[in-house]
Amino acid sequence: MSALPRSYNPFAEDEEEDAVAAGPGGPGGAERQRYLQQEVLRRSAATADSTTRSLSLLYESERIGVAASEELVRQGEALKRTEQMVDKMDQDLKTSQRHINSIKSVWGGLVNYFKAKPPESKPEQNGAPEYYANSRLKEAMMSSKEQESKYQESHPNLRKLDNSDNDFSKADLVSPVQRDSYPKNQQLRAYHQKIDNNLDEMSSGLSRLKNLALGLQTEIEEQDDMLDRLTKKVETLDVNIKNTDKKIRQL
């Protein structure tokens, strides 16, 4: 006996396949076309939102890069101030050694009297010493700081609530050549234009981030050289302090 039920319809499978192929709206071609249009709009909206989020993260990365650059410049100012203090200590130590030689012997006093005095350093100005970051970093910081308003507009907690994302009237404000390259549907054209604008801004943002990274690299290399120079000065100063202390104990 056959295992198929009595109510089995051999053409039912073909009808189900046709229904699936026709879409959720049924076998009608108009319903299927409307479904496809909605799916295209949904995917375009999702792509536009994705590029908007990526652009927001790019602005935030720029803001963090600018903050790191400003902190690096402050570190450079601190290193410059430290180097000036070490130079001043070294000069004072040399003056102390001259006085010690004068106390130890008359001959040493005569030598110090006729010996040329070391040049005095200029008094340090009030406030932080002048320190300038490299030109590449300064230009990159200025360019990225101009995007602060865009960062606030794109941040979900900082931007003002408006309906600018749903305003499709701006989609018609394009040149005839651009209008021909976009779809005829107004909403779809607006989504495509928004995606293109976001991609263009992302390209510019990545270029600014690259310049910021190169400026940071140059600044770090220059400060590394300053640290090496400062380390050598501190080591020399430490040796001179020990020698001076030894001479004082021998008096």
Side-chain angles (χ1 to χ4, degrees):
M1 295 181 62
S2 177
L4 296 175
R6 295 182 179 180
S7 60
Y8 173 75
N9 185 358
F11 301 101
E13 295 180 359
D14 295 338
E15 292 177 358
E16 291 179 359
E17 292 178 358
D18 294 339
V20 172
E31 292 293 336
R32 175 173 174 78
Q33 185 177 5
R34 184 160 49 251
Y35 166 76
L36 292 177
Q37 290 177 352
Q38 293 177 355
E39 184 67 15
V40 170
L41 286 175
R42 186 186 67 81
R43 292 181 180 272
S44 298
T47 303
D49 292 340
S50 177
T51 55
T52 300
R53 289 192 299 270
S54 300
L55 192 58
S56 176
L57 293 175
L58 190 62
Y59 289 143
E60 186 175 2
S61 300
E62 277 192 85
R63 185 183 64 86
I64 296 174
V66 170
S69 301
E70 292 176 345
E71 182 63 28
L72 192 62
V73 172
R74 285 192 292 269
Q75 177 178 310
E77 294 175 354
L79 288 175
K80 184 68 175 180
R81 183 166 56 250
T82 303
E83 187 175 13
Q84 289 181 347
M85 293 175 60
V86 171
D87 292 339
K88 184 66 169 57
M89 292 175 63
D90 184 67
Q91 182 180 356
D92 293 342
L93 189 60
K94 290 179 180 179
T95 303
S96 300
Q97 290 176 350
R98 287 169 54 86
H99 293 326
I100 292 173
N101 292 334
S102 300
I103 295 174
K104 288 181 64 176
S105 63
V106 178
W107 175 253
L110 292 175
V111 171
N112 290 333
Y113 179 80
F114 291 103
K115 187 177 181 180
K117 295 183 179 180
E120 296 182 357
S121 61
K122 296 181 179 180
E124 184 178 354
Q125 299 179 354
N126 295 330
E130 294 183 358
Y131 177 82
Y132 301 98
N134 65 87
S135 58
R136 172 178 289 182
L137 181 60
K138 290 193 298 184
E139 293 176 359
M141 289 174 61
M142 291 177 59
S143 178
S144 295
K145 282 183 178 180
E146 296 176 355
Q147 312 303 320
E148 181 67 22
S149 59
K150 294 183 179 180
Y151 164 73
Q152 295 178 358
E153 292 174 359
S154 63
H155 197 280
N157 296 332
L158 299 178
R159 64 182 178 183
K160 297 180 180 179
L161 295 178
D162 54 18
N163 295 324
S164 58
D165 293 342
N166 298 327
D167 185 11
F168 300 104
S169 60
K170 298 181 181 179
D172 296 330
L173 302 178
V174 295
S175 63
V177 177
Q178 291 177 337
R179 188 179 298 110
D180 293 339
S181 62
Y182 288 119
K184 300 299 182 181
N185 185 280
Q186 185 179 9
Q187 291 184 347
L188 189 59
R189 183 167 65 247
Y191 284 134
H192 282 207
Q193 185 179 0
K194 184 176 181 180
I195 293 172
D196 289 346
N197 293 337
N198 288 344
L199 291 177
D200 291 340
E201 186 58 33
M202 288 172 63
S203 176
S204 301
L206 289 174
S207 178
R208 292 192 300 269
L209 276 178
K210 177 183 177 181
N211 293 332
L212 196 61
L214 292 175
L216 284 169
Q217 180 182 6
T218 304
E219 182 67 19
I220 290 174
E221 291 176 353
E222 293 180 356
Q223 291 192 17
D224 283 342
D225 295 338
M226 187 184 300
L227 281 172
D228 293 339
R229 185 173 64 249
L230 182 59
T231 301
K232 294 179 181 179
K233 288 183 178 182
V234 171
E235 291 176 352
T236 303
L237 181 63
D238 182 65
V239 173
N240 293 335
I241 289 175
K242 292 180 179 179
N243 292 335
T244 304
D245 181 70
K246 184 178 180 180
K247 290 180 180 180
I248 292 176
R249 293 178 183 276
Q250 292 175 353
L251 290 178

